[in-house]
Amino acid sequence: MADADPGLLHAPDTTDGRRVTIVGAALVAMVALCMIAAVAVTRGLAHHYARPPAMAKALPATDGPPLEPDPAATLARFRAEKHALLDGYAWVDRAHGVARIPVDEAMRIVAAEAGAASAPAPSVEKKP
């Protein structure tokens, strides 16, 4: 090993462009062959089972029933129900004394209770 060329002890610094091109072309060819094989197998199986290929023609458009016959009326009815819950009085649990009151009334009551509970302390003047 003493008489070996020091340049042969390490890998070359350059990439072999010809080999990269050959490997790339081989990969492209393999992918193309796989695609051709997949199409051939699909058509062969469709012929074997006596039916057309799956994507031979587009599916026909269907005229199904509309999902919502009158969306404006449905939305208006929904909003009226929700406003009735917010703006009306009703018993939630009469046996336990739980009732529903309008939001504005509830806010007024809570504000009045909070105002009475946190009334400011009387100010004291400091004398010098």
Side-chain angles (χ1 to χ4, degrees):
M1 266 219 345
D3 54 334
D5 185 17
L8 297 178
L9 296 177
H10 60 83
D13 292 340
T14 60
T15 304
D16 187 5
R18 185 169 182 239
R19 285 186 184 179
V20 171
T21 304
I22 291 172
V23 169
L27 286 173
V28 168
M30 288 177 69
V31 168
L33 285 174
C34 287
M35 291 173 64
I36 291 169
V39 168
V41 167
T42 302
R43 289 188 180 177
L45 289 176
H47 178 70
H48 177 73
Y49 290 107
R51 45 182 140 147
M55 299 305 290
K57 59 181 180 176
L59 296 175
T62 59
D63 293 330
L67 296 177
E68 189 68 50
D70 189 9
T74 304
L75 180 62
R77 187 172 49 250
F78 173 78
R79 287 183 175 165
E81 290 171 2
K82 297 306 173 186
H83 282 292
L85 289 175
L86 291 176
D87 297 333
Y89 293 90
W91 283 106
V92 175
D93 187 359
R94 191 174 202 147
H96 291 98
V98 179
R100 181 182 317 121
I101 63 172
V103 173
D104 294 334
E105 181 72 16
M107 289 172 54
R108 188 186 60 74
I109 292 170
V110 169
E113 289 175 357
S118 63
S123 61
V124 178
E125 290 186 29
K126 293 183 180 179
K127 295 183 181 178

